[in-house]
Amino acid sequence: MDIKKIQNAFSPASEINTPEFFVGRNDEVKNSILALSDKGSFLAIHGLRGVGKSSIAKQIILIAEGNKTLAKSLNLDRYIPKKGFNFLTIYTTCDSFTKNTADIVKRLIFGDNYSGGLLSMTSSGDKKIDNIKETFKAGGSGGLFGIKLEAGGQEDVTYKTILTDDLIQQFKQLLGTVKKDNQNKTGLLIVIDEFDTLKDKSEFGSLIKTCSDDFIKFAVSGIANTVTELIEGHTSISRQISPITVNKMHSEELKGILKRAEHFINNEITFTDEAADEIINSAEGFPYFVHLLGKEAFLNAFDLGKTKIELSDIKTIKESISKGRLRTIYEEIYHSAVKESPQRELLLKFFAEDNNDEIYSEPVYSNTKDLGVTNPSQLMRELTQPQDGSIGVLTKLREQYYRFTDPVFKVYARLRNWKFDK
């Protein structure tokens, strides 16, 4: 039995990059294929955190580049045009360094850790490209689209990134050069992941409307219940949008993850039906927990020389989670949220036990007050806006309504036993 294969059969810590490990999502993949062949369309992948949006985005890229493996396995290859797809693709993801649309444009032009950028897709020696490059580098006294902002002394000089109409036109010209230099390609697919983290999306709709054409296609992926929630000012591009809604996974799809892992290790370790059902029920529709519990079960079976994973094995792993003994990012988040406050833990637990996505705070406050929490609204500050500047575990939607920032953590908080004795 190969330990490397055992370790790689599940991947709780990262998205699925290869079609061989991708399971289910028939409708989402079908809609994505149709959107790729729809001229001028704009793909908007949206759903809860932890449901697999980034994995779908990676599969869309592979399909666009001409890989038919996933489409064939889902019996969707008939939706691919007879000539097939042969897109150029570029992928980037939003993070703390991307504040607005201009920052995204910079990354697309000059590249990042994920790709070489649009400039790398043009023929060398093109004078137009040299001119465009110089324009972008000189876009304001700060360079790279920057404008100088002074607030007193010389040491207070900062730069603000902006996206002017002229720079949008220069960007469009660069896209035109990429198209001219790649006539043999189906088109250019630009994928922007974690789009919901972009603080200022106000200019993005204009960029899409100005730059999209039969060759240039954009796709964004992010946490949102609706396209409207994901993209501000989307009215101008509403006709172009092809929404790809990613919901929690069905039980059969989650079971498929376990079956695929068993197949990957040649069925040298398998799950009993009872063990598989326990994993699926515990996951509550989130593939992360199937990967987490499945990987731990495989490793434990390998340690013990077992070939069959039983219900008792999964319950033992869940007990490790409940006691905080299984090292995951969510255990760290739990400790950070609760810290040394039994009352804050009580408040967090009551919010986690509410089955609604949007949680009404009034009954939660009332119940926790009955158990001795003196000022729940005051405690909420650390759960929504921690003093250390980190992202809170709860987000305020509107007056008296909250949502877990990461619904996977909500499931974890339910599984986790009390840090403080009750």
Side-chain angles (χ1 to χ4, degrees):
M1 204 176 295
D2 187 348
I3 183 60
K4 186 175 181 180
K5 295 196 76 173
I6 294 292
Q7 288 180 307
N8 292 333
F10 292 98
S11 55
S14 61
E15 66 270 5
I16 306 300
N17 291 304
T18 58
E20 291 80 9
F21 274 88
F22 192 86
V23 174
R25 300 300 192 190
N26 191 290
D27 289 343
E28 292 89 337
V29 175
K30 176 184 173 181
N31 291 336
S32 300
I33 293 172
L34 292 173
L36 286 174
S37 57
D38 187 7
K39 291 183 178 180
S41 66
F42 163 61
L43 285 74
I45 308 163
H46 64 93
L48 296 173
R49 184 184 296 276
V51 292
K53 297 181 301 299
S54 293
S55 295
I56 290 175
K58 292 294 181 70
Q59 298 309 310
I60 290 172
I61 289 172
L62 290 174
I63 292 169
E65 290 173 344
N67 190 319
K68 296 182 180 180
T69 304
L70 180 59
K72 287 181 178 179
S73 70
L74 296 175
N75 196 29
L76 295 172
D77 50 317
R78 66 187 186 279
Y79 292 101
I80 295 177
K82 289 185 178 180
K83 291 183 178 180
F85 291 130
N86 185 25
F87 279 85
L88 282 169
T89 63
I90 182 168
Y91 172 91
T92 192
T93 185
C94 300
D95 54 33
S96 59
F97 296 104
T98 48
K99 303 291 191 297
N100 54 28
T101 304
D103 290 332
I104 294 296
V105 169
K106 281 195 296 183
R107 285 199 174 177
L108 294 175
I109 294 168
F110 295 100
D112 54 18
N113 293 334
Y114 300 99
S115 70
L118 292 170
L119 290 172
S120 67
M121 297 178 176
T122 60
S123 300
S124 59
D126 191 323
K127 290 184 179 179
K128 283 186 178 180
I129 291 302
D130 291 335
N131 292 336
I132 291 171
K133 194 182 297 184
E134 290 304 314
T135 300
F136 285 126
K137 286 185 176 180
S141 58
L144 294 178
F145 313 167
I147 60 171
K148 186 184 294 184
L149 299 172
E150 296 191 43
Q154 183 69 28
E155 69 279 0
D156 294 324
V157 172
T158 58
Y159 293 96
K160 180 182 179 182
T161 306
I162 61 169
L163 188 62
T164 65
D165 289 340
D166 179 58
L167 288 170
I168 287 180
Q169 292 304 319
Q170 291 287 344
F171 181 60
K172 187 176 181 180
Q173 185 178 340
L174 173 58
L175 293 173
T177 304
V178 171
K179 178 179 179 179
K180 179 180 68 69
D181 292 347
N182 295 276
Q183 292 291 317
N184 61 324
K185 294 292 184 177
T186 306
L188 169 64
L189 176 65
I190 300 171
V191 180
I192 304 166
D193 205 357
E194 304 288 347
F195 185 73
D196 58 286
T197 65
L198 194 66
K199 292 182 179 178
D200 181 5
K201 307 180 182 73
S202 58
E203 298 170 317
F204 191 76
S206 297
L207 182 75
I208 298 296
K209 189 172 183 180
T210 303
C211 297
S212 296
D213 58 25
D214 290 348
F215 189 85
I216 309 298
K217 190 180 294 293
F218 287 83
V220 299
S221 174
I223 300 164
N225 286 326
T226 64
V227 171
T228 304
E229 190 178 311
L230 181 62
I231 306 166
E232 296 174 10
H234 77 292
T235 307
S236 62
I237 56 171
S238 57
R239 292 183 180 179
Q240 295 174 246
I241 295 176
S242 293
I244 312 296
T245 305
V246 186
N247 295 310
K248 294 179 184 179
M249 295 188 80
H250 300 300
S251 296
E252 286 305 311
E253 291 178 315
L254 295 173
K255 188 175 291 185
I257 296 174
L258 299 177
K259 291 296 181 184
R260 184 61 55 91
E262 290 175 339
H263 177 74
F264 181 71
I265 61 169
N266 301 315
N267 293 307
E268 293 181 354
I269 300 175
T270 58
F271 296 90
T272 64
D273 290 341
E274 293 78 11
D277 288 341
E278 183 70 15
I279 290 175
I280 291 163
N281 292 333
S282 301
E284 297 188 28
F286 292 102
Y288 169 82
F289 280 102
V290 176
H291 284 277
L292 176 67
L293 294 171
K295 184 168 187 173
E296 287 300 316
F298 266 14
L299 289 172
N300 288 345
F302 180 84
D303 286 341
L304 299 172
K306 296 179 63 174
T307 59
K308 185 72 70 174
I309 296 168
E310 299 174 342
L311 175 60
S312 58
D313 299 313
I314 305 304
K315 287 186 174 181
T316 299
I317 297 170
K318 286 180 64 177
E319 185 178 355
S320 295
I321 292 176
S322 71
K323 293 180 178 179
R325 293 174 182 168
L326 194 63
R327 292 181 59 186
T328 72
I329 183 62
Y330 292 110
E331 179 62 19
E332 296 176 19
I333 294 172
Y334 190 89
H335 278 285
S336 178
V338 172
K339 289 188 170 66
E340 299 305 318
S341 172
Q343 290 197 351
R344 195 185 300 159
E345 182 179 31
L346 185 64
L347 188 62
L348 173 63
K349 281 285 194 178
F350 266 86
F351 269 103
E353 290 300 328
D354 193 303
N355 291 322
N356 296 305
D357 177 47
E358 296 186 2
I359 304 168
Y360 182 42
S361 62
E362 192 58 38
V364 174
Y365 288 176
S366 177
N367 288 329
T368 54
K369 283 179 180 178
D370 290 343
L371 293 174
V373 175
T374 54
N375 196 340
S377 59
Q378 190 75 19
L379 292 172
M380 281 297 288
R381 292 183 182 179
E382 274 299 302
L383 294 179
T384 56
Q385 296 177 318
Q387 292 181 358
D388 61 6
S390 61
I391 298 174
V393 295
L394 288 164
T395 300
K396 187 173 183 178
L397 303 175
R398 57 189 182 278
E399 197 62 35
Q400 295 187 311
Y401 282 89
Y402 295 84
R403 173 189 292 155
F404 272 82
T405 308
D406 185 345
V408 178
F409 174 70
K410 181 181 182 181
V411 178
Y412 185 87
R414 280 206 290 266
L415 289 173
R416 176 68 161 83
N417 273 354
W418 297 90
K419 177 179 177 180
F420 302 100
D421 291 334
K422 295 290 112 187

